[in-house]
Amino acid sequence: MKLRLTLVSVGKLSDPFIQEGCEFFVERVRRYAPLNLIVVPEEKISSRGKKKYILQQEGERIRGKIRPGVFTVAVDERGKALSSEAFAHSLETWSSSGLKEVAFILGGPYGLEDSLKEKANFRLSLSTMTLTHGLAKMLLLEQIYRAFTILHGKPYHK
């Protein structure tokens, strides 16, 4: 698979165990595909009544990091829920369709700006439950790694 992957996320991870988990899966994903991690700053203003403004600011930062023509996957709780096998199949389909890069977009504490979700090529739900930003990032990286092990017939996925 020649597909390049990018993960654009909002804000730094604060929990050491989440950082370690993300690093663990990043190393493993990179065995199968180039993976570029981009972190845009979280908007640091008082959130009271300013959710729309925060999402707009973070949305602009995200848009500035994604090259035109890149296939985008917005991580959204209202997106499509896939089994690990179906997610692996999606990666394979995207790769075999001639795409060169897939960018996963993961919002901050308030999620993603509506326009980013609407313009995304695909909306992926990791869970119907609310997850912390860090946990969602680690889960996404784990599922990307799992998808590659499925596609390569490795014993990680049971």
Side-chain angles (χ1 to χ4, degrees), residues 108-119:
Y110 293 107
L112 287 172
E113 181 185 28
D114 285 342
S115 70
L116 277 172
K117 293 186 277 191
E118 291 160 7
K119 291 177 182 169

Side-chain angles (χ1 to χ4, degrees), residues 2 16 43 121:
K2 303 271 192 280
E43 185 63 32
N121 299 101

Side-chain angles (χ1 to χ4, degrees), residues 4 6 66-73 99 101-104 121:
R4 285 190 319 267
T6 298
I66 299 172
R67 288 191 296 275
V70 169
F71 187 89
T72 55
V73 177
L99 292 177
E101 182 177 357
V102 172
F104 294 90
N121 299 101

Side-chain angles (χ1 to χ4, degrees), residues 71-120:
F71 187 89
T72 55
V73 177
V75 178
D76 176 21
E77 64 187 8
R78 290 176 192 82
K80 185 170 178 66
L82 299 174
S83 67
S84 295
E85 292 87 352
F87 180 60
H89 179 72
S90 293
L91 276 178
E92 186 176 47
T93 300
W94 297 333
S95 178
S96 63
S97 71
L99 292 177
K100 294 191 178 4
E101 182 177 357
V102 172
F104 294 90
I105 307 169
L106 183 62
Y110 293 107
L112 287 172
E113 181 185 28
D114 285 342
S115 70
L116 277 172
K117 293 186 277 191
E118 291 160 7
K119 291 177 182 169

